[in-house]
Amino acid sequence: MHSSAVAMPVKRMIQLNKLFRGQFLRCIFSSRLSRSQSNLTADRYNVKRGPYGSVSQDDIGVFRNMLEPHRVVTDATELEAYNEDWLRTVAGQSKVMLKPRNTDEVSTIMQHCYKKNLAVCPQGGNTGLVGGSVPVFDEVIISTQLMNKIFSVDTLSGVMICQSGCILENLNKSLSEHNLIMPLDLGAKGSCTIGGNLSTNAAGIRFLRYGSLRGSVLGIKAVLADGTVLDTMTSVRKDNTGYDLKQLLIGSEGTLGVITEISLLTPIKPACVNLAFFGADSFEDLTSMMKLARRSLGEIVSAIEFLDHDCMQEVQTQLGYSNPISRYPFYMLVETSGSNAQHDEEKLTVFVEKCLESALAKDGTVATDLGKIEAIWSLRETIAEALKKRGYTYKYDISLPTNEMYKLVEIMRDRMEGLCTVYGYGHLGDGNLHLNLVTDEYDQEIMSKIEPFVYEYTSEMKGSVSAEHGLGFKKKDFIGMSKHSSAVSVMQQLKNLFDPKGILNPYKTIPSS
Ligand code: FAD
Ligand code: 2HG
Ligand code: ZN
């Protein structure tokens, strides 16, 4: 067992990669996209364009008058990066991207699009994993990238008010100066925006500690389809006056409105963070350690994550990371965050000893300084990137009963034998499996062997076909596997009420009525 502060017998010297998560991810994102696959989505998925207007030169002129000309992007090469998703699995053919700076400009844009029946696709950092963030045809892209102001941080209540285009990592850094943090953290932090996070109700690695983003959002401003500004901004925590409209916008993936401003409750920055990393022989041993972690670490546990051997292999091979312990079929991360270093380290030591003595963990390491903590987290947080480098990823983000979670990976390995490589990892503490299958290239036959099987299995297990990534373009037709038809029907009615012309992010999230 390795430790930088906790005294443990040393089996192997820790070999941690020097690259920190944030730095690494920034270079991934800045080098994305070079090819053009302008009609990829429509061709591959055989989609019919909706009855929308097409952007004319007159419309471009109107947009240029509304915004400064350089905030109306029409250059085909520049547009490529905004037409294609991060995974490079879907791509649209938008001819124009608009870069408003504030709510009023978004409202003016929407008034015009509503009048001319022009479909729009709101876009933040374009890190979405379900094809929701890029156009399917020629929708107008409304990018929030210039809406990146923090208006205020109240250090007493922890309430921060900002624009929706603020990058998650930047918000975290700014809050850190006030001894506060964002209540969510995820691998795409260097590029994703808080507006995108709300629109997908993103979860990530702090979910276990701070719960759903829904509980941290106090208010939002959003622009509706016809340009109306829906203002639910407040800084108070308790407010039971009428329907909670902001909740409809959270997780609606740009189909009900464009979120422009956010009031968010932010937690105090923990004074000490520690991370234990274990190797284990079976998934069952991981769940037993998770039970032990919850019992022995109690309130200081802040994250419980896992990856299997194949994931570890890919982050090593594709990205050059080092595994700080020996090879095992499974790996687990247990993070603690608290306010008293000595207390937390003592508790973690007892937990680690129990894991080793019971032989649930076969090897492990404990990191207490930021560099080592970041390096170990990289092994977990860059799996999506490593698999993308490896080939085409068929990506599934599923909620299942925790003790049954890994069975699906094994079932898929049997089912897909020889056809693709199957990887399992995810947010163990939240019962959220990331099932990824990789082939050299997209293959329709392989796809039909995976879907709808994975969704049917999940439905039988009473899980969710989207735990945290949303439905976007790729999964909207499977909503019925996790939601009763009565619920889908009310969603369709709400969509019609908010967006009678269906111009907000069409072809996404819920099947049309
Ligand atoms: P985009 O990708 O631009 O958009 C996502 C959706 O939101 C689209 O439907 C878009 O139309 C809509 N949208 C964006 N901004 C607005 C707005 N202001 N108003 C209305 N609609 C809007 N997700 C998780 O939940 N947990 C994770 O751990 C996680 N890890 C990831 C790791 C990597 C490496 C990557 C690439 C992605 C990961 N994701 C994760 C998915 C993704 O990062 C999140 O869904 C993120 O919240 C998207 O933010 P974004 O700004 O990039 O939004
Ligand atoms: C994560 O937890 C993200 O790493 C991405 O949600 C998961 O790519 C995936 O399958
Ligand atoms: Zn995740």
Side-chain angles (χ1 to χ4, degrees), residues 86 122-129 132-133 144 164 186-188 192-193 195-197 199-200 202-204 253-254 257-259 384 427 468-469 505:
W86 181 84
Q123 190 180 87
N126 194 11
T127 67
L129 296 172
S133 53
T144 59
S164 60
L186 46 98
C192 69
T193 63
N197 299 151
S199 301
T200 55
E253 302 181 73
V258 183
I259 297 173
H427 311 286
E468 59 174 9
H469 296 160
N505 222 6

PDB file of all heavy atoms in Angstrom, residues 86 122-129 132-133 144 164 186-188 192-193 195-197 199-200 202-204 253-254 257-259 384 427 468-469 505, ligand 1:
ATOM      1  N   TRP A  86     -18.297  16.076 -30.172  1.00  0.00           N
ATOM      2  CA  TRP A  86     -16.976  15.756 -29.602  1.00  0.00           C
ATOM      3  C   TRP A  86     -16.539  14.337 -29.967  1.00  0.00           C
ATOM      4  O   TRP A  86     -15.381  14.074 -30.263  1.00  0.00           O
ATOM      5  CB  TRP A  86     -17.047  15.926 -28.083  1.00  0.00           C
ATOM      6  CG  TRP A  86     -15.755  15.643 -27.379  1.00  0.00           C
ATOM      7  CD1 TRP A  86     -14.720  16.513 -27.194  1.00  0.00           C
ATOM      8  CD2 TRP A  86     -15.350  14.402 -26.772  1.00  0.00           C
ATOM      9  NE1 TRP A  86     -13.709  15.883 -26.501  1.00  0.00           N
ATOM     10  CE2 TRP A  86     -14.063  14.592 -26.231  1.00  0.00           C
ATOM     11  CE3 TRP A  86     -15.959  13.153 -26.622  1.00  0.00           C
ATOM     12  CZ2 TRP A  86     -13.370  13.587 -25.549  1.00  0.00           C
ATOM     13  CZ3 TRP A  86     -15.277  12.147 -25.957  1.00  0.00           C
ATOM     14  CH2 TRP A  86     -13.990  12.364 -25.430  1.00  0.00           C
ATOM     15  N   PRO A 122     -29.086  25.320 -29.599  1.00  0.00           N
ATOM     16  CA  PRO A 122     -28.229  25.978 -28.596  1.00  0.00           C
ATOM     17  C   PRO A 122     -26.981  25.136 -28.356  1.00  0.00           C
ATOM     18  O   PRO A 122     -27.052  23.912 -28.313  1.00  0.00           O
ATOM     19  CB  PRO A 122     -29.107  26.000 -27.328  1.00  0.00           C
ATOM     20  CG  PRO A 122     -30.489  25.642 -27.773  1.00  0.00           C
ATOM     21  CD  PRO A 122     -30.337  24.817 -29.013  1.00  0.00           C
ATOM     22  N   GLN A 123     -25.862  25.807 -28.204  1.00  0.00           N
ATOM     23  CA  GLN A 123     -24.604  25.068 -27.992  1.00  0.00           C
ATOM     24  C   GLN A 123     -23.724  25.767 -26.946  1.00  0.00           C
ATOM     25  O   GLN A 123     -23.555  26.977 -26.991  1.00  0.00           O
ATOM     26  CB  GLN A 123     -23.843  24.963 -29.318  1.00  0.00           C
ATOM     27  CG  GLN A 123     -22.659  24.018 -29.264  1.00  0.00           C
ATOM     28  CD  GLN A 123     -21.927  23.931 -30.599  1.00  0.00           C
ATOM     29  OE1 GLN A 123     -21.042  24.732 -30.878  1.00  0.00           O
ATOM     30  NE2 GLN A 123     -22.301  22.964 -31.428  1.00  0.00           N
ATOM     31  N   GLY A 124     -23.194  24.961 -26.011  1.00  0.00           N
ATOM     32  CA  GLY A 124     -22.247  25.488 -25.029  1.00  0.00           C
ATOM     33  C   GLY A 124     -20.848  25.084 -25.444  1.00  0.00           C
ATOM     34  O   GLY A 124     -20.314  25.544 -26.455  1.00  0.00           O
ATOM     35  N   GLY A 125     -20.262  24.133 -24.705  1.00  0.00           N
ATOM     36  CA  GLY A 125     -18.895  23.691 -25.009  1.00  0.00           C
ATOM     37  C   GLY A 125     -18.832  22.572 -26.032  1.00  0.00           C
ATOM     38  O   GLY A 125     -17.738  22.126 -26.406  1.00  0.00           O
ATOM     39  N   ASN A 126     -19.992  22.092 -26.495  1.00  0.00           N
ATOM     40  CA  ASN A 126     -20.061  20.990 -27.469  1.00  0.00           C
ATOM     41  C   ASN A 126     -19.311  19.750 -26.967  1.00  0.00           C
ATOM     42  O   ASN A 126     -18.579  19.117 -27.725  1.00  0.00           O
ATOM     43  CB  ASN A 126     -19.544  21.436 -28.836  1.00  0.00           C
ATOM     44  CG  ASN A 126     -19.923  20.447 -29.947  1.00  0.00           C
ATOM     45  OD1 ASN A 126     -20.746  19.546 -29.733  1.00  0.00           O
ATOM     46  ND2 ASN A 126     -19.315  20.588 -31.105  1.00  0.00           N
ATOM     47  N   THR A 127     -19.516  19.420 -25.694  1.00  0.00           N
ATOM     48  CA  THR A 127     -18.918  18.193 -25.151  1.00  0.00           C
ATOM     49  C   THR A 127     -19.977  17.130 -24.882  1.00  0.00           C
ATOM     50  O   THR A 127     -19.671  16.080 -24.310  1.00  0.00           O
ATOM     51  CB  THR A 127     -18.161  18.462 -23.829  1.00  0.00           C
ATOM     52  OG1 THR A 127     -19.111  18.843 -22.825  1.00  0.00           O
ATOM     53  CG2 THR A 127     -17.118  19.540 -23.979  1.00  0.00           C
ATOM     54  N   GLY A 128     -21.206  17.399 -25.263  1.00  0.00           N
ATOM     55  CA  GLY A 128     -22.298  16.448 -25.049  1.00  0.00           C
ATOM     56  C   GLY A 128     -21.998  15.118 -25.727  1.00  0.00           C
ATOM     57  O   GLY A 128     -21.325  15.080 -26.762  1.00  0.00           O
ATOM     58  N   LEU A 129     -22.520  14.035 -25.141  1.00  0.00           N
ATOM     59  CA  LEU A 129     -22.161  12.699 -25.635  1.00  0.00           C
ATOM     60  C   LEU A 129     -23.335  11.970 -26.287  1.00  0.00           C
ATOM     61  O   LEU A 129     -23.232  10.785 -26.580  1.00  0.00           O
ATOM     62  CB  LEU A 129     -21.601  11.867 -24.472  1.00  0.00           C
ATOM     63  CG  LEU A 129     -20.288  12.398 -23.861  1.00  0.00           C
ATOM     64  CD1 LEU A 129     -19.914  11.619 -22.604  1.00  0.00           C
ATOM     65  CD2 LEU A 129     -19.152  12.359 -24.877  1.00  0.00           C
ATOM     66  N   GLY A 132     -26.769  15.863 -28.890  1.00  0.00           N
ATOM     67  CA  GLY A 132     -27.754  16.938 -28.717  1.00  0.00           C
ATOM     68  C   GLY A 132     -27.212  18.314 -29.047  1.00  0.00           C
ATOM     69  O   GLY A 132     -27.975  19.243 -29.326  1.00  0.00           O
ATOM     70  N   SER A 133     -25.891  18.461 -29.056  1.00  0.00           N
ATOM     71  CA  SER A 133     -25.308  19.805 -29.108  1.00  0.00           C
ATOM     72  C   SER A 133     -24.996  20.297 -30.517  1.00  0.00           C
ATOM     73  O   SER A 133     -24.550  21.429 -30.684  1.00  0.00           O
ATOM     74  CB  SER A 133     -24.023  19.826 -28.274  1.00  0.00           C
ATOM     75  OG  SER A 133     -23.162  18.789 -28.697  1.00  0.00           O
ATOM     76  N   THR A 144     -23.118  29.938 -26.743  1.00  0.00           N
ATOM     77  CA  THR A 144     -23.083  30.793 -25.543  1.00  0.00           C
ATOM     78  C   THR A 144     -21.641  31.165 -25.158  1.00  0.00           C
ATOM     79  O   THR A 144     -21.411  31.692 -24.079  1.00  0.00           O
ATOM     80  CB  THR A 144     -23.733  30.055 -24.349  1.00  0.00           C
ATOM     81  OG1 THR A 144     -23.010  28.829 -24.122  1.00  0.00           O
ATOM     82  CG2 THR A 144     -25.198  29.757 -24.593  1.00  0.00           C
ATOM     83  N   SER A 164     -24.554  31.779 -18.684  1.00  0.00           N
ATOM     84  CA  SER A 164     -24.581  30.330 -18.933  1.00  0.00           C
ATOM     85  C   SER A 164     -23.383  29.809 -19.714  1.00  0.00           C
ATOM     86  O   SER A 164     -23.128  28.612 -19.750  1.00  0.00           O
ATOM     87  CB  SER A 164     -25.859  29.969 -19.692  1.00  0.00           C
ATOM     88  OG  SER A 164     -25.891  30.668 -20.919  1.00  0.00           O
ATOM     89  N   LEU A 186     -16.509  17.233 -13.736  1.00  0.00           N
ATOM     90  CA  LEU A 186     -16.499  16.144 -14.722  1.00  0.00           C
ATOM     91  C   LEU A 186     -15.332  16.292 -15.680  1.00  0.00           C
ATOM     92  O   LEU A 186     -14.709  17.361 -15.745  1.00  0.00           O
ATOM     93  CB  LEU A 186     -17.841  16.054 -15.467  1.00  0.00           C
ATOM     94  CG  LEU A 186     -18.507  17.308 -15.999  1.00  0.00           C
ATOM     95  CD1 LEU A 186     -18.216  17.478 -17.457  1.00  0.00           C
ATOM     96  CD2 LEU A 186     -20.008  17.186 -15.797  1.00  0.00           C
ATOM     97  N   GLY A 187     -15.045  15.218 -16.389  1.00  0.00           N
ATOM     98  CA  GLY A 187     -13.856  15.159 -17.237  1.00  0.00           C
ATOM     99  C   GLY A 187     -13.768  16.266 -18.274  1.00  0.00           C
ATOM    100  O   GLY A 187     -12.682  16.663 -18.672  1.00  0.00           O
ATOM    101  N   ALA A 188     -14.914  16.781 -18.711  1.00  0.00           N
ATOM    102  CA  ALA A 188     -14.914  17.807 -19.756  1.00  0.00           C
ATOM    103  C   ALA A 188     -14.865  19.216 -19.168  1.00  0.00           C
ATOM    104  O   ALA A 188     -15.150  20.195 -19.868  1.00  0.00           O
ATOM    105  CB  ALA A 188     -16.159  17.642 -20.623  1.00  0.00           C
ATOM    106  N   CYS A 192     -16.680  22.291 -21.056  1.00  0.00           N
ATOM    107  CA  CYS A 192     -18.146  22.360 -20.920  1.00  0.00           C
ATOM    108  C   CYS A 192     -18.557  23.620 -20.160  1.00  0.00           C
ATOM    109  O   CYS A 192     -17.786  24.170 -19.385  1.00  0.00           O
ATOM    110  CB  CYS A 192     -18.693  21.096 -20.260  1.00  0.00           C
ATOM    111  SG  CYS A 192     -18.258  20.908 -18.529  1.00  0.00           S
ATOM    112  N   THR A 193     -19.778  24.072 -20.435  1.00  0.00           N
ATOM    113  CA  THR A 193     -20.275  25.315 -19.823  1.00  0.00           C
ATOM    114  C   THR A 193     -21.324  24.990 -18.769  1.00  0.00           C
ATOM    115  O   THR A 193     -21.967  23.936 -18.826  1.00  0.00           O
ATOM    116  CB  THR A 193     -20.934  26.204 -20.895  1.00  0.00           C
ATOM    117  OG1 THR A 193     -22.083  25.492 -21.429  1.00  0.00           O
ATOM    118  CG2 THR A 193     -19.965  26.539 -22.021  1.00  0.00           C
ATOM    119  N   GLY A 195     -24.153  26.357 -18.556  1.00  0.00           N
ATOM    120  CA  GLY A 195     -25.456  26.274 -19.247  1.00  0.00           C
ATOM    121  C   GLY A 195     -25.675  24.884 -19.826  1.00  0.00           C
ATOM    122  O   GLY A 195     -26.768  24.321 -19.751  1.00  0.00           O
ATOM    123  N   GLY A 196     -24.606  24.314 -20.399  1.00  0.00           N
ATOM    124  CA  GLY A 196     -24.690  22.944 -20.929  1.00  0.00           C
ATOM    125  C   GLY A 196     -24.874  21.952 -19.797  1.00  0.00           C
ATOM    126  O   GLY A 196     -25.626  20.977 -19.918  1.00  0.00           O
ATOM    127  N   ASN A 197     -24.199  22.205 -18.682  1.00  0.00           N
ATOM    128  CA  ASN A 197     -24.338  21.312 -17.516  1.00  0.00           C
ATOM    129  C   ASN A 197     -25.797  21.295 -17.036  1.00  0.00           C
ATOM    130  O   ASN A 197     -26.355  20.233 -16.760  1.00  0.00           O
ATOM    131  CB  ASN A 197     -23.454  21.779 -16.347  1.00  0.00           C
ATOM    132  CG  ASN A 197     -21.970  21.787 -16.669  1.00  0.00           C
ATOM    133  OD1 ASN A 197     -21.224  22.574 -16.104  1.00  0.00           O
ATOM    134  ND2 ASN A 197     -21.528  20.931 -17.563  1.00  0.00           N
ATOM    135  N   SER A 199     -28.445  22.169 -18.805  1.00  0.00           N
ATOM    136  CA  SER A 199     -29.347  21.681 -19.852  1.00  0.00           C
ATOM    137  C   SER A 199     -29.332  20.161 -19.962  1.00  0.00           C
ATOM    138  O   SER A 199     -30.295  19.552 -20.419  1.00  0.00           O
ATOM    139  CB  SER A 199     -28.968  22.298 -21.203  1.00  0.00           C
ATOM    140  OG  SER A 199     -29.045  23.696 -21.083  1.00  0.00           O
ATOM    141  N   THR A 200     -28.203  19.534 -19.561  1.00  0.00           N
ATOM    142  CA  THR A 200     -28.154  18.064 -19.564  1.00  0.00           C
ATOM    143  C   THR A 200     -28.339  17.508 -18.146  1.00  0.00           C
ATOM    144  O   THR A 200     -28.322  16.294 -17.952  1.00  0.00           O
ATOM    145  CB  THR A 200     -26.787  17.560 -20.092  1.00  0.00           C
ATOM    146  OG1 THR A 200     -25.737  18.143 -19.312  1.00  0.00           O
ATOM    147  CG2 THR A 200     -26.589  17.917 -21.546  1.00  0.00           C
ATOM    148  N   ALA A 202     -26.091  17.567 -15.893  1.00  0.00           N
ATOM    149  CA  ALA A 202     -24.877  16.749 -15.792  1.00  0.00           C
ATOM    150  C   ALA A 202     -24.592  16.363 -14.340  1.00  0.00           C
ATOM    151  O   ALA A 202     -24.960  17.082 -13.406  1.00  0.00           O
ATOM    152  CB  ALA A 202     -23.699  17.534 -16.366  1.00  0.00           C
ATOM    153  N   ALA A 203     -23.927  15.229 -14.186  1.00  0.00           N
ATOM    154  CA  ALA A 203     -23.683  14.722 -12.829  1.00  0.00           C
ATOM    155  C   ALA A 203     -22.180  14.717 -12.536  1.00  0.00           C
ATOM    156  O   ALA A 203     -21.663  15.638 -11.915  1.00  0.00           O
ATOM    157  CB  ALA A 203     -24.285  13.336 -12.686  1.00  0.00           C
ATOM    158  N   GLY A 204     -21.456  13.684 -12.983  1.00  0.00           N
ATOM    159  CA  GLY A 204     -20.005  13.650 -12.768  1.00  0.00           C
ATOM    160  C   GLY A 204     -19.614  13.095 -11.414  1.00  0.00           C
ATOM    161  O   GLY A 204     -20.395  12.418 -10.743  1.00  0.00           O
ATOM    162  N   GLU A 253     -32.217  19.895 -22.393  1.00  0.00           N
ATOM    163  CA  GLU A 253     -31.295  19.779 -23.536  1.00  0.00           C
ATOM    164  C   GLU A 253     -31.607  20.763 -24.676  1.00  0.00           C
ATOM    165  O   GLU A 253     -31.574  20.406 -25.846  1.00  0.00           O
ATOM    166  CB  GLU A 253     -31.291  18.335 -24.054  1.00  0.00           C
ATOM    167  CG  GLU A 253     -30.895  17.314 -22.993  1.00  0.00           C
ATOM    168  CD  GLU A 253     -30.879  15.888 -23.513  1.00  0.00           C
ATOM    169  OE1 GLU A 253     -29.953  15.564 -24.263  1.00  0.00           O
ATOM    170  OE2 GLU A 253     -31.802  15.127 -23.189  1.00  0.00           O
ATOM    171  N   GLY A 254     -31.928  21.980 -24.284  1.00  0.00           N
ATOM    172  CA  GLY A 254     -32.131  23.027 -25.292  1.00  0.00           C
ATOM    173  C   GLY A 254     -33.430  22.908 -26.062  1.00  0.00           C
ATOM    174  O   GLY A 254     -33.616  23.590 -27.068  1.00  0.00           O
ATOM    175  N   GLY A 257     -35.933  26.031 -24.138  1.00  0.00           N
ATOM    176  CA  GLY A 257     -35.479  27.416 -24.048  1.00  0.00           C
ATOM    177  C   GLY A 257     -33.960  27.458 -24.032  1.00  0.00           C
ATOM    178  O   GLY A 257     -33.298  26.434 -23.859  1.00  0.00           O
ATOM    179  N   VAL A 258     -33.427  28.676 -24.213  1.00  0.00           N
ATOM    180  CA  VAL A 258     -31.971  28.858 -24.141  1.00  0.00           C
ATOM    181  C   VAL A 258     -31.668  29.472 -22.771  1.00  0.00           C
ATOM    182  O   VAL A 258     -32.103  30.592 -22.480  1.00  0.00           O
ATOM    183  CB  VAL A 258     -31.460  29.800 -25.255  1.00  0.00           C
ATOM    184  CG1 VAL A 258     -29.935  29.906 -25.193  1.00  0.00           C
ATOM    185  CG2 VAL A 258     -31.921  29.326 -26.628  1.00  0.00           C
ATOM    186  N   ILE A 259     -30.959  28.738 -21.940  1.00  0.00           N
ATOM    187  CA  ILE A 259     -30.614  29.247 -20.609  1.00  0.00           C
ATOM    188  C   ILE A 259     -29.520  30.300 -20.760  1.00  0.00           C
ATOM    189  O   ILE A 259     -28.510  30.065 -21.441  1.00  0.00           O
ATOM    190  CB  ILE A 259     -30.132  28.096 -19.687  1.00  0.00           C
ATOM    191  CG1 ILE A 259     -31.273  27.087 -19.493  1.00  0.00           C
ATOM    192  CG2 ILE A 259     -29.658  28.637 -18.329  1.00  0.00           C
ATOM    193  CD1 ILE A 259     -30.868  25.814 -18.746  1.00  0.00           C
ATOM    194  N   ALA A 384     -12.905   8.189 -21.571  1.00  0.00           N
ATOM    195  CA  ALA A 384     -13.685   8.535 -22.774  1.00  0.00           C
ATOM    196  C   ALA A 384     -12.747   8.963 -23.905  1.00  0.00           C
ATOM    197  O   ALA A 384     -12.931   8.584 -25.069  1.00  0.00           O
ATOM    198  CB  ALA A 384     -14.682   9.640 -22.457  1.00  0.00           C
ATOM    199  N   HIS A 427     -19.569   5.565 -12.256  1.00  0.00           N
ATOM    200  CA  HIS A 427     -19.790   6.174 -10.948  1.00  0.00           C
ATOM    201  C   HIS A 427     -20.402   5.107 -10.038  1.00  0.00           C
ATOM    202  O   HIS A 427     -21.628   5.056  -9.852  1.00  0.00           O
ATOM    203  CB  HIS A 427     -20.694   7.394 -11.096  1.00  0.00           C
ATOM    204  CG  HIS A 427     -20.254   8.326 -12.193  1.00  0.00           C
ATOM    205  ND1 HIS A 427     -19.160   9.147 -12.068  1.00  0.00           N
ATOM    206  CD2 HIS A 427     -20.730   8.546 -13.454  1.00  0.00           C
ATOM    207  CE1 HIS A 427     -18.994   9.852 -13.185  1.00  0.00           C
ATOM    208  NE2 HIS A 427     -19.938   9.488 -14.038  1.00  0.00           N
ATOM    209  N   GLU A 468     -26.967  10.127 -16.905  1.00  0.00           N
ATOM    210  CA  GLU A 468     -26.476  11.507 -16.741  1.00  0.00           C
ATOM    211  C   GLU A 468     -26.200  12.253 -18.036  1.00  0.00           C
ATOM    212  O   GLU A 468     -26.049  13.459 -18.021  1.00  0.00           O
ATOM    213  CB  GLU A 468     -25.221  11.526 -15.849  1.00  0.00           C
ATOM    214  CG  GLU A 468     -24.064  10.698 -16.387  1.00  0.00           C
ATOM    215  CD  GLU A 468     -22.774  10.845 -15.572  1.00  0.00           C
ATOM    216  OE1 GLU A 468     -22.811  11.452 -14.493  1.00  0.00           O
ATOM    217  OE2 GLU A 468     -21.731  10.355 -16.056  1.00  0.00           O
ATOM    218  N   HIS A 469     -26.138  11.596 -19.168  1.00  0.00           N
ATOM    219  CA  HIS A 469     -25.757  12.309 -20.398  1.00  0.00           C
ATOM    220  C   HIS A 469     -26.937  12.903 -21.148  1.00  0.00           C
ATOM    221  O   HIS A 469     -26.746  13.696 -22.063  1.00  0.00           O
ATOM    222  CB  HIS A 469     -24.986  11.381 -21.349  1.00  0.00           C
ATOM    223  CG  HIS A 469     -23.676  10.906 -20.782  1.00  0.00           C
ATOM    224  ND1 HIS A 469     -23.020   9.800 -21.245  1.00  0.00           N
ATOM    225  CD2 HIS A 469     -22.906  11.388 -19.776  1.00  0.00           C
ATOM    226  CE1 HIS A 469     -21.907   9.616 -20.554  1.00  0.00           C
ATOM    227  NE2 HIS A 469     -21.830  10.570 -19.648  1.00  0.00           N
ATOM    228  N   ASN A 505     -34.034  23.175 -30.869  1.00  0.00           N
ATOM    229  CA  ASN A 505     -33.297  21.904 -30.929  1.00  0.00           C
ATOM    230  C   ASN A 505     -34.164  20.732 -31.407  1.00  0.00           C
ATOM    231  O   ASN A 505     -34.364  19.741 -30.696  1.00  0.00           O
ATOM    232  CB  ASN A 505     -32.678  21.588 -29.554  1.00  0.00           C
ATOM    233  CG  ASN A 505     -31.260  21.059 -29.710  1.00  0.00           C
ATOM    234  OD1 ASN A 505     -30.709  21.023 -30.814  1.00  0.00           O
ATOM    235  ND2 ASN A 505     -30.678  20.617 -28.617  1.00  0.00           N
TER     236      ASN A 505
HETATM  237  P1  FAD B   1     -23.120  21.086 -25.093  1.00  0.00           P
HETATM  238  O1  FAD B   1     -22.456  19.815 -25.389  1.00  0.00           O
HETATM  239  O2  FAD B   1     -22.785  22.241 -25.947  1.00  0.00           O
HETATM  240  O3  FAD B   1     -24.702  20.876 -25.134  1.00  0.00           O
HETATM  241  C1  FAD B   1     -25.311  19.815 -24.466  1.00  0.00           C
HETATM  242  C2  FAD B   1     -26.839  19.968 -24.596  1.00  0.00           C
HETATM  243  O4  FAD B   1     -27.275  21.120 -23.894  1.00  0.00           O
HETATM  244  C3  FAD B   1     -27.303  20.163 -26.022  1.00  0.00           C
HETATM  245  O5  FAD B   1     -28.562  19.581 -26.166  1.00  0.00           O
HETATM  246  C4  FAD B   1     -27.412  21.677 -26.182  1.00  0.00           C
HETATM  247  O6  FAD B   1     -28.358  22.052 -27.143  1.00  0.00           O
HETATM  248  C5  FAD B   1     -27.852  22.085 -24.794  1.00  0.00           C
HETATM  249  N1  FAD B   1     -27.368  23.389 -24.341  1.00  0.00           N
HETATM  250  C6  FAD B   1     -26.075  23.788 -24.153  1.00  0.00           C
HETATM  251  N2  FAD B   1     -26.057  25.032 -23.641  1.00  0.00           N
HETATM  252  C7  FAD B   1     -27.344  25.427 -23.498  1.00  0.00           C
HETATM  253  C8  FAD B   1     -27.980  26.595 -23.006  1.00  0.00           C
HETATM  254  N3  FAD B   1     -27.283  27.625 -22.534  1.00  0.00           N
HETATM  255  N4  FAD B   1     -29.328  26.645 -23.011  1.00  0.00           N
HETATM  256  C9  FAD B   1     -30.060  25.601 -23.463  1.00  0.00           C
HETATM  257  N5  FAD B   1     -29.519  24.471 -23.937  1.00  0.00           N
HETATM  258  C10 FAD B   1     -28.174  24.380 -23.953  1.00  0.00           C
HETATM  259  N6  FAD B   1     -21.563  14.331 -18.426  1.00  0.00           N
HETATM  260  C11 FAD B   1     -21.937  13.979 -17.171  1.00  0.00           C
HETATM  261  O7  FAD B   1     -23.097  14.126 -16.810  1.00  0.00           O
HETATM  262  N7  FAD B   1     -21.040  13.435 -16.293  1.00  0.00           N
HETATM  263  C12 FAD B   1     -19.751  13.245 -16.619  1.00  0.00           C
HETATM  264  O8  FAD B   1     -18.972  12.741 -15.818  1.00  0.00           O
HETATM  265  C13 FAD B   1     -19.320  13.631 -17.925  1.00  0.00           C
HETATM  266  N8  FAD B   1     -18.039  13.484 -18.290  1.00  0.00           N
HETATM  267  C14 FAD B   1     -17.655  13.814 -19.554  1.00  0.00           C
HETATM  268  C15 FAD B   1     -16.325  13.627 -19.927  1.00  0.00           C
HETATM  269  C16 FAD B   1     -15.899  13.940 -21.206  1.00  0.00           C
HETATM  270  C17 FAD B   1     -14.459  13.740 -21.576  1.00  0.00           C
HETATM  271  C18 FAD B   1     -16.840  14.456 -22.144  1.00  0.00           C
HETATM  272  C19 FAD B   1     -16.421  14.800 -23.532  1.00  0.00           C
HETATM  273  C20 FAD B   1     -18.157  14.646 -21.774  1.00  0.00           C
HETATM  274  C21 FAD B   1     -18.584  14.333 -20.491  1.00  0.00           C
HETATM  275  N9  FAD B   1     -19.914  14.507 -20.084  1.00  0.00           N
HETATM  276  C22 FAD B   1     -20.294  14.168 -18.814  1.00  0.00           C
HETATM  277  C23 FAD B   1     -20.903  15.010 -21.032  1.00  0.00           C
HETATM  278  C24 FAD B   1     -20.912  16.561 -21.164  1.00  0.00           C
HETATM  279  O9  FAD B   1     -19.684  17.115 -20.840  1.00  0.00           O
HETATM  280  C25 FAD B   1     -21.931  17.179 -20.312  1.00  0.00           C
HETATM  281  O10 FAD B   1     -23.180  16.756 -20.767  1.00  0.00           O
HETATM  282  C26 FAD B   1     -21.897  18.709 -20.257  1.00  0.00           C
HETATM  283  O11 FAD B   1     -22.815  19.090 -19.276  1.00  0.00           O
HETATM  284  C27 FAD B   1     -22.229  19.400 -21.562  1.00  0.00           C
HETATM  285  O12 FAD B   1     -21.914  20.786 -21.463  1.00  0.00           O
HETATM  286  P2  FAD B   1     -21.589  21.635 -22.771  1.00  0.00           P
HETATM  287  O13 FAD B   1     -21.455  23.057 -22.389  1.00  0.00           O
HETATM  288  O14 FAD B   1     -20.467  21.054 -23.508  1.00  0.00           O
HETATM  289  O15 FAD B   1     -22.945  21.464 -23.569  1.00  0.00           O
END
